[in-house]
Amino acid sequence: MKKQYLLLGILLLTVCNTFAQQYFKAQAVTALKDQILTEANWALKQQPITVTASTSPYSSGGKHDFFSEGDYWWPNPQNPNGPYVTRDGETNPSNFVAHRKAMIRFSEIIGALASAYQITGDEKYVKHALAHLKAWFVNQETLMNPNLAYAQAVRNLYTGRSWGIIDSIHLMEVAQGVIVMQKAKSFNKNDLQVIKKWFADYILWLNTSKNGIAEKNAKNNHGTTWGMQVASFAKLVNDQPMLDSLRMRYKTIYLPNQMAADGSFPLELARTKPYGYAIFNLDAMVMLCQLLSTPTDNLWTYQTTDGKSIKKGIDYLYPYIVDKSKWPLKPDVMYWEYWPVAQPFLFFGANYFGQQTWFDTWKSLDLKPTNEEVVRNLPIRHPIIWL
């Protein structure tokens, strides 16, 4: 009898959550429809640009390898031709970012086209998206190799670092866009198979390479965003064992080890950009809940024995989103004035917990930020494709 009541409770909760998701999705479509169609019309005019379109003399990889340089590394005034030195939180504008910009552009294009397809059903969006997807993952002349071995390199010091894996958070909306569009008549099934193979190969690299393992074990937002990425890609390729392992990782590592009793993230607050990093890590934690929760293993409602939960994390940060002047720490050393924007944690938190005030706050913020640093740290910019 107890088992029957439990199953009934799970069913009722699922029905309620489904209703809430449809309610907030409808509101989001109303708020975003014009923007979605405008972005999609822009995307239809764009031709593919992949990592092969630009190279850096500082890359140790080939033309198909993604390359970027560590953001907070600068020439050493005492040794200008020697290894760069770090200045935490201070972005060096001279670093090579062409591949990162190309990946962000790719994400914007696929996110826009998938969103437009979702609300209109017009396959012209799928056909154009496929041209970009094939350029990145299928065509031998232009594809990107499925690794980030040369990401966030440091001149005269590192050819690539584990921290650079965070750059591929912008492939998440690419993967989700494929999920949204894959059943369309115009989505070639052979191409779909090759695209999924690319993501499966990338998941393998993320779990077996030296840099991938180091990022996986990072104790701060780098570890969280590793999990967020792998969850997104594993969902596309239906890697259930990987998804199961990530649910356990959220419950035993991410939530208990990163969150304090008050819902804050101490390792993020210790940085020189605590406000931006706190927002970024909460967005990642929320996306883990969105990606990994099932009716029988719901991370949204999961709570550690000492009371840590994702809702506590949202409750902690929300007042400082509504009124940034109340932030108890020093302002971030850079980009303080650009945060917050329409943060994913507000949208998806409102969607699950039925919090209209969170949704209204999300809607009142910048839904289309243009500052490069903000966009770099905002992997979810097309929310309706996730519902």
Side-chain angles (χ1 to χ4, degrees):
M1 185 64 72
K2 288 182 178 179
K3 184 177 181 180
Q4 290 176 323
Y5 280 126
L6 177 61
L7 292 173
L8 180 60
I10 291 172
L11 178 61
L12 288 172
L13 182 62
T14 302
V15 171
C16 290
N17 285 339
T18 301
F19 177 79
Q21 286 194 9
Q22 292 303 317
Y23 172 72
F24 283 106
K25 181 177 180 179
Q27 288 195 70
V29 169
T30 299
L32 296 173
K33 185 175 181 179
D34 290 344
Q35 178 180 313
I36 287 170
L37 295 178
T38 297
E39 287 183 9
N41 287 334
W42 164 81
L44 286 171
K45 300 172 185 176
Q46 306 307 307
Q47 295 303 309
I49 298 174
T50 76
V51 295
T52 60
S54 55
T55 59
S56 168
Y58 302 105
S59 174
S60 297
K63 75 170 187 174
H64 296 281
D65 291 308
F66 180 95
F67 176 73
S68 64
E69 293 185 281
D71 294 272
Y72 307 145
W73 292 80
W74 297 72
N76 185 348
Q78 310 303 321
N79 183 15
N81 295 319
Y84 273 27
V85 293
T86 186
R87 287 158 52 176
D88 187 36
E90 299 182 42
T91 301
N92 183 343
S94 299
N95 286 345
F96 180 84
V97 292
H99 289 177
R100 181 188 288 165
K101 287 184 175 181
M103 185 177 286
I104 291 172
R105 176 181 179 271
F106 180 37
S107 176
E108 291 278 11
I109 289 169
I110 299 301
L113 295 171
S115 298
Y117 172 68
Q118 191 173 50
I119 65 175
T120 68
D122 192 331
E123 297 222 1
K124 70 181 180 182
Y125 300 116
V126 179
K127 293 175 182 177
H128 194 70
L130 193 56
H132 289 267
L133 292 165
K134 288 174 66 175
W136 277 83
F137 304 130
V138 180
N139 298 340
Q140 292 299 308
E141 287 300 312
T142 58
L143 62 74
M144 171 184 157
N145 288 332
N147 70 73
L148 254 68
Y150 307 101
Q152 291 203 22
V154 177
R155 293 189 200 181
N156 304 318
L157 196 60
Y158 304 114
T159 58
R161 299 181 303 146
S162 62
W163 308 118
I165 289 171
I166 207 167
D167 284 348
S168 60
I169 58 175
H170 297 286
L171 290 181
M172 289 175 57
E173 291 210 320
V174 173
Q176 187 64 22
V178 173
I179 290 174
V180 167
M181 296 183 288
Q182 64 182 336
K183 293 183 180 180
K185 293 179 181 179
S186 53
F187 205 123
N188 182 279
K189 301 310 173 189
N190 290 331
D191 291 332
L192 178 62
Q193 185 177 2
V194 175
I195 291 166
K196 289 187 175 182
K197 175 67 164 53
W198 190 97
F199 278 100
D201 289 344
Y202 188 40
I203 292 171
L204 181 63
W205 183 85
L206 288 169
N207 278 277
T208 58
S209 67
K210 179 181 177 181
N211 283 355
I213 293 170
E215 188 77 344
K216 177 180 181 177
N217 294 325
K219 300 182 185 302
N220 63 357
N221 67 82
H222 281 270
T224 321
T225 53
W226 179 95
M228 176 178 69
Q229 291 185 67
V230 176
S232 173
F233 308 150
K235 183 181 175 186
L236 170 62
V237 302
N238 194 28
D239 187 341
Q240 291 301 322
M242 183 61 63
L243 293 170
D244 289 341
S245 72
L246 289 167
R247 290 185 192 98
M248 184 60 66
R249 195 167 187 85
Y250 173 86
K251 293 187 286 188
T252 60
I253 297 176
Y254 298 142
L255 187 63
N257 292 353
Q258 291 199 36
M259 185 178 284
D262 64 356
S264 67
F265 299 117
L267 291 178
E268 310 308 328
L269 298 184
R271 301 292 296 273
T272 60
K273 294 193 293 189
Y275 188 70
Y277 274 114
I279 292 172
F280 180 60
N281 200 46
L282 183 58
D283 280 340
M285 286 281 195
V286 161
M287 287 312 299
L288 284 167
C289 295
Q290 178 69 20
L291 284 159
L292 296 171
S293 291
T294 69
T296 57
D297 196 355
N298 191 346
L299 302 187
W300 287 106
T301 58
Y302 177 78
Q303 185 171 292
T304 63
T305 55
D306 56 352
K308 299 171 184 176
S309 69
I310 196 63
K311 189 172 186 301
K312 179 170 281 191
I314 298 174
D315 286 338
Y316 169 83
L317 197 56
Y318 180 69
Y320 308 124
I321 299 297
V322 175
D323 186 356
K324 189 166 64 171
S325 69
K326 294 180 179 179
W327 181 243
L329 302 178
K330 290 182 178 180
D332 293 2
V333 295
M334 290 184 75
Y335 307 108
W336 165 256
E337 66 272 26
Y338 296 105
W339 298 104
V341 295
Q343 304 301 149
F345 82 80
L346 292 169
F347 178 86
F348 294 104
N351 177 63
Y352 182 82
F353 293 109
Q355 292 277 2
Q356 185 69 47
T357 55
W358 293 354
F359 180 86
D360 290 342
T361 300
W362 169 82
K363 190 169 64 171
S364 72
L365 295 168
D366 190 355
L367 298 169
K368 184 65 177 176
T370 56
N371 178 266
E372 288 186 5
E373 179 68 5
V374 171
V375 172
R376 182 174 81 88
N377 291 289
L378 193 67
I380 309 303
R381 300 183 296 278
H382 303 88
I384 68 164
I385 65 174
W386 296 90
L387 299 181

